[in-house]
Amino acid sequence: MSHTAHIPSHRKPRRSASKMALRAGVAGGVLSTLAVAGAAGTATAAEPVTETIELPTLTADLSAQIAQSADATAQAADSYEARAQQDAAATKAAEQAAKDQVEAAKKAEAKKKAAAEAEAKRKAAEKRAARDAERTQLSTQSAPSGSGSSTSTSTSVSQDAPAPSSGSVAGVISFLKAQVGDAYVMGGTGPNSWDCSGLVQAAFKQAGVDLPRTSQAQSTAGTPVSMSNLQVGDIVYWGGAGSAYHVGVYIGGGQYLDAANPSKGVVIQDLSGYPASGAVRVL
């Protein structure tokens, strides 16, 4: 017996050849399966999957419906456009009509104003002609007076004076001549005593003319006239225009009527004896 027979061997016992062959076969099958699976996965990743979706086929009825819908849409669009054009035309026509109406109103107003101005000018011309006729008549009838008394002058003038005409030069002159002989009182406004501007103011009130109270203001109350162009009814003044200290009224024939002073009272005097500085016309 060997001296090593009693020592157990550390090597594993050998498997049988059949078991090893079985194991080798199983392992080979697994490996082949994995190889096939890997090849299949690689091929799948390389070629993307595609899917074809087929659209439904349009039928004749569906095509007709689509065509009808398109026609209806086109007709609606045409209708809307036509309506919009009509509305725009109506709006434009309304605006034009409004402008025409305003323009017509302006023309009518201008025509009315022109007619009124023409009528006013005609009436003014008639009044001027009437006043000129009255002035001519009064100037012709008035005779120059000398140094006679104011009372006798009043009597003779009153007999020659025409009947008063309200709102006219004749009315002013008639009123003035009716006051001849009244007293002069500073600040007097009638009915029986006057100062110069108070008498003139009251006289022209008979003709509807509102004059200022003072001689200074009365000297600029009307249209300035030259002393060589005096007419009956013009206001004559002494002193500067706007600073006059005395006023009277021209009655024609080179004479004027005024509330002269406390010693004379209301009298008729000759301009040649006491020439005025200027004159204004208010009628």
Side-chain angles (χ1 to χ4, degrees):
M1 176 182 232
S2 170
H3 64 277
T4 61
H6 65 278
I7 298 173
S9 174
H10 62 282
R11 294 181 180 178
K12 292 183 180 179
R14 293 182 180 272
R15 292 185 178 92
S16 61
S18 59
K19 287 183 179 182
M20 291 179 66
L22 177 60
R23 288 177 180 270
V26 171
V30 171
L31 291 175
S32 62
T33 300
L34 291 175
V36 171
T42 302
T44 301
E47 297 181 5
V49 178
T50 58
E51 182 178 359
T52 301
I53 301 176
E54 295 185 359
L55 295 176
T57 304
L58 295 177
T59 62
D61 292 340
L62 183 56
S63 299
Q65 290 178 1
I66 293 174
Q68 291 177 358
S69 178
D71 291 341
T73 302
Q75 291 177 0
D78 292 341
S79 177
Y80 292 150
E81 184 178 0
R83 180 67 177 273
Q85 291 176 352
Q86 291 175 358
D87 291 344
T91 301
K92 186 176 181 180
E95 291 176 353
Q96 186 62 41
K99 291 181 180 179
D100 292 343
Q101 186 175 4
V102 171
E103 187 66 22
K106 288 182 179 180
K107 289 182 179 179
E109 184 65 22
K111 186 177 181 180
K112 183 178 179 181
K113 185 177 180 180
E117 290 177 351
E119 180 65 14
K121 289 181 180 179
R122 183 187 67 79
K123 290 182 178 179
E126 289 179 353
K127 288 182 178 179
R128 283 195 300 269
R131 287 197 297 268
D132 291 343
E134 289 172 354
R135 288 187 174 104
T136 301
Q137 184 180 6
L138 291 171
S139 181
T140 302
Q141 292 176 347
S142 298
S145 61
S147 58
S149 66
S150 61
T151 304
S152 61
T153 302
S154 173
T155 304
S156 63
V157 171
S158 297
Q159 291 174 350
D160 293 337
S165 177
S166 177
S168 65
V169 175
V172 172
I173 302 303
S174 178
F175 176 85
L176 288 170
K177 289 180 177 179
Q179 314 311 314
V180 172
D182 285 353
Y184 177 96
V185 175
M186 180 67 72
T189 56
N192 299 311
S193 60
W194 314 86
D195 66 7
C196 64
S197 58
L199 178 62
V200 172
Q201 183 186 49
F204 279 90
K205 192 172 183 180
Q206 308 304 310
V209 178
D210 291 327
L211 289 177
R213 175 65 182 85
T214 66
S215 59
Q216 291 88 350
Q218 289 176 4
S219 66
T220 58
T223 303
V225 295
S226 66
M227 296 303 297
S228 61
N229 192 33
L230 285 178
Q231 293 184 359
V232 175
D234 289 345
I235 298 174
V236 290
Y237 62 86
W238 287 259
S243 60
Y245 57 84
H246 187 68
V247 289
V249 178
Y250 183 70
I251 61 173
Q255 296 179 318
Y256 68 94
L257 190 154
D258 68 335
N261 52 53
S263 62
K264 289 184 178 181
V266 179
V267 293
I268 295 174
Q269 306 187 77
D270 289 333
L271 278 171
S272 59
Y274 188 32
S277 302
V280 292
R281 184 170 298 157
V282 296
L283 280 175

